[in-house]
Amino acid sequence: MMTRTLTSHDLPALMTGIMATLAGIGIARFAYTPLLPAIIQEGWFTASQGAYLGAANLLGYFIGALAAHSLSERFSPRLVMAASFAGIALSFVLCAGAGGFLWFFFWRLVSGIAGAILMVVGPSLALAATPPERRTRVGGMVFTGIGFGALLSAFIVPLLLGLSLTVTWGTLGLLCIAAGLLCDWGVAHLTSPITASSVGNSSTGYAGVKVVVLLVIGAYALDAIGFVPHTVFWVDYLARENALGNQAASLQWGIFGLGALCGPFMVGVLAHRVGWQGGLMIAFAAKAAAVLLPVFSLALLSQSVSSFMVGAMIPGIVALTSGRLAELVGPTAHKKLWGQATAAFAAAQAVAGYAMSALYGAWGSYAPLFAISGLILVAGFLLVLLSRGVQQRHSSGQQSTQQSSNQGRQ
């Protein structure tokens, strides 16, 4: 529950978290989606190569998720974040002209590594510097950077593409530099001391609910697979495969970004009404339906609902999963567990990115990928449902044991 409104003291933490998520996913990954049709049409790469370049970012995200904690322990978090912003900026600026596939692949990989580091370290610093009574609100707000980045790319990229593809890549690099400077200001003005221990792991003690935790993390990994088509192929699917054109596809990407901006606020209300567990079940069901919708209809309303709901549930399920794990294991064990969940998410996402790129190369159509992803999300919903059943049985078993113990004493 959001017990207090935000104050000016929260601004450094918000700037740190929002700019990190904006650059880490909003620009580093999502800005590539509306660029994909253009680089194919300009002849820079084939459709299959373009898909593999999108998957390179996902592979980098997995590497970055594994490295983020140790890097923030070994070096100053402020330095690690500055280097990550620089890496993302360079990945755009140095790809502003037609080049070889390996060159682009390397820099898309770098953008993924740097993006994951920002996504892990940035929100952790923001929350560590926020008083406990305001962490729920700040924790939701920091993920709005994902939506801001998607909106930014949706409206700016089409305008810049009217000038040239080179100008578009270069401008995105400059935007990353600007976001990095704002984030650095936020880090420098955080009230808590920024030390390695402030984002370090804590000891865990969740043996009693280990199965429930594993099921929730498993569902989170399936979520990573489920949204790959929308975050990598959606614009190209609409613009080229269905001949709707770049303008119509960019509009849908803007709606997607609007959803990503609203998602953290939507799930905050949802979690308050039905709890983290109930909210997670509803979010998985809604996302599965939204991903499957384009398989059955590509009417404007269907496109828009799919774009908005998938966009909203991307940061929404992140926030709900984090909250659910914290509810299960407590805030002390949560930090380490969330790092493990992020690594599992990134691994599933990277494998799915390459597998779906290969399937697209074999089938020549994106449509089956949306069907597969929707069914994967249904499986994620079932895991969350199963986790509730396991927890209920565990709680019932504990109560029975307690009652037996009490009767024995009597």
Side-chain angles (χ1 to χ4, degrees):
M1 183 175 177
M2 298 175 185
T3 56
R4 295 190 183 183
T5 58
L6 297 171
T7 70
S8 59
H9 297 294
D10 296 315
L11 185 59
L14 288 172
M15 197 63 69
T16 299
I18 291 174
M19 291 300 114
T21 58
L22 185 153
I25 286 185
I27 296 178
R29 182 185 307 167
F30 287 170
Y32 179 77
T33 304
L35 280 173
L36 182 55
I39 67 173
I40 295 169
Q41 291 164 1
E42 290 284 332
W44 285 20
F45 300 104
T46 66
S48 179
Q49 287 176 322
Y52 275 109
L53 289 176
N57 184 270
L58 305 184
L59 174 61
Y61 194 84
F62 172 60
I63 297 171
L66 292 177
H69 171 65
S70 59
L71 286 173
S72 64
E73 287 278 304
R74 182 169 297 183
F75 304 104
S76 160
R78 184 178 182 184
L79 177 63
V80 170
M81 293 185 70
S84 298
F85 276 105
I88 296 172
L90 285 173
S91 75
F92 283 101
V93 172
L94 296 180
C95 291
F101 176 78
L102 290 178
W103 176 261
F104 272 71
F105 185 93
F106 172 78
W107 284 109
R108 293 305 299 156
L109 184 74
V110 168
S111 73
I113 294 171
I117 292 170
L118 290 179
M119 287 296 296
V120 172
V121 179
S124 295
L125 291 182
L127 292 178
T130 303
E133 67 271 14
R134 295 203 297 274
R135 282 180 185 167
T136 303
R137 187 149 200 170
V138 171
M141 288 287 289
V142 297
F143 291 105
T144 60
I146 298 172
F148 279 121
L151 273 176
L152 199 65
S153 63
F155 290 108
I156 289 181
V157 169
L159 294 175
L160 294 173
L161 286 174
L163 299 175
S164 77
L165 196 51
T166 296
V167 169
T168 306
W169 282 85
T171 303
L172 290 170
L174 294 177
L175 285 174
C176 286
I177 293 173
L181 292 174
L182 289 173
C183 182
D184 188 69
W185 176 88
V187 174
H189 289 82
L190 290 175
T191 54
S192 296
I194 305 305
T195 62
S197 60
S198 68
V199 290
N201 290 338
S202 302
S203 61
T204 59
Y206 50 90
V209 291
K210 190 173 183 179
V211 175
V212 181
V213 166
L214 290 175
L215 288 170
V216 172
I217 292 178
Y220 190 49
L222 292 181
D223 175 59
I225 301 172
F227 75 70
V228 166
H230 267 76
T231 56
V232 179
F233 309 127
W234 183 228
V235 171
D236 198 40
Y237 174 64
L238 296 175
R240 288 194 316 111
E241 186 166 322
N242 290 282
L244 297 177
N246 288 341
Q247 188 172 3
S250 294
L251 171 64
Q252 291 304 316
W253 191 243
I255 295 173
F256 174 94
L258 180 62
L261 189 61
C262 295
F265 301 102
M266 292 167 61
V267 300
V269 174
L270 189 63
H272 176 64
R273 289 181 178 273
V274 300
W276 295 112
Q277 168 71 21
L280 199 55
M281 291 173 61
I282 292 171
F284 265 96
K287 195 171 184 179
V291 170
L292 285 168
L293 189 57
V295 177
F296 301 100
S297 172
L298 276 175
L300 179 60
L301 179 61
S302 299
Q303 293 176 44
S304 301
V305 170
S306 181
S307 296
F308 182 86
M309 287 307 299
V310 175
M313 290 304 103
I314 286 176
I317 288 182
V318 172
L320 287 168
T321 302
S322 177
R324 175 60 172 153
L325 291 175
E327 180 181 57
L328 287 168
V329 304
T332 302
H334 174 262
K335 289 182 180 179
K336 183 176 182 178
L337 195 63
W338 183 238
Q340 294 171 352
T342 301
F345 182 95
Q349 184 179 240
V351 171
Y354 279 93
M356 290 187 183
S357 295
L359 289 175
Y360 172 72
W363 294 336
S365 172
Y366 292 122
L369 304 182
F370 289 89
I372 292 170
S373 294
L375 295 176
I376 290 289
L377 287 166
V378 171
F381 166 82
L382 293 175
L383 286 185
V384 176
L385 182 63
L386 180 60
S387 74
R388 183 178 69 169
V390 171
Q391 186 181 25
Q392 288 174 342
R393 286 197 299 272
H394 177 71
S395 299
S396 298
Q398 283 186 324
Q399 290 175 357
S400 298
T401 302
Q402 184 65 37
Q403 289 173 356
S404 299
S405 177
N406 291 337
Q407 289 173 358
R409 290 192 186 98
Q410 294 173 357

